[in-house]
Amino acid sequence: MSIIEQRRSEIRAQENTYHIVVSTRTDVDRAEPTPKVMITLEAGGPGGEPVAEGSLDLDVAVAATVADLVADELLSATGAARPTRRRSAGRPAQQGRPWNDELDAELETRWIAGESVAEIATSFERTPGGIRARLPRVGCDPENPGCYLPVPPSRRTDLDGGEPN
């Protein structure tokens, strides 16, 4: 067994303290190593008495599904309502994802061609705020559609073709 990553958390909720360890590992002694996730939970009440303990050992491929199923079943068994998620399900698919050179080039081309922030955001599956924030990074002026940012005086060359000032 080879541990790839391990995260430890201590969380206090109501009167209980929860210790959670999530380890990602690979069983290197198998013919075909399979990535696994091991989740260990220990919880103590206000006097230190145990209120929960256990562990799960899962293939990485099913970990998210198992987490959803366990959450749904626990909520169903206790009659609790599922908490709302911080982000809405209708958010753009690419929101928060990294940009690359190809996307930057396409963003610049579309902006200079005169497309609106809303049109570009829809096409890129990102928020209008994300598009406006990225425009200066590709040299475009987010305040003036179809325009580049001006070259600052410190980077300009004189009219003779000389070096920057």
Side-chain angles (χ1 to χ4, degrees), residues 99-113 115 120 123-124 138:
W99 289 80
N100 60 36
D101 292 340
E102 185 179 308
L103 291 171
D104 283 343
E106 185 179 349
L107 174 61
E108 178 184 355
T109 301
R110 287 172 174 244
W111 184 252
I112 296 304
E115 285 189 45
I120 296 171
S123 174
F124 278 74
V138 298

Side-chain angles (χ1 to χ4, degrees), residues 62-151:
V62 301
T65 302
V66 170
D68 286 341
L69 292 171
V70 168
D72 288 344
E73 289 304 315
L74 286 172
L75 292 171
S76 176
T78 60
R82 191 168 208 13
T84 57
R85 298 189 185 259
R86 282 191 255 170
R87 290 187 162 181
S88 67
R91 73 179 192 176
Q94 298 303 314
Q95 179 182 347
R97 302 264 169 127
W99 289 80
N100 60 36
D101 292 340
E102 185 179 308
L103 291 171
D104 283 343
E106 185 179 349
L107 174 61
E108 178 184 355
T109 301
R110 287 172 174 244
W111 184 252
I112 296 304
E115 285 189 45
S116 71
V117 168
E119 291 170 328
I120 296 171
T122 300
S123 174
F124 278 74
E125 297 183 22
R126 295 181 182 263
T127 64
I131 297 300
R132 278 191 290 279
R134 192 69 186 180
L135 284 168
R137 294 182 178 164
V138 298
C140 295
D141 186 348
E143 300 299 321
N144 297 305
C147 295
Y148 286 106
L149 286 168
V151 177

Side-chain angles (χ1 to χ4, degrees), residues 19-23 25 37-42 52-58 66 70:
H19 296 273
I20 302 170
V21 178
V22 179
S23 303
R25 63 180 173 78
V37 174
M38 181 174 215
I39 303 163
T40 305
L41 167 72
E42 294 178 356
E53 65 180 333
S55 66
L56 287 171
D57 198 10
L58 311 164
V66 170
V70 168

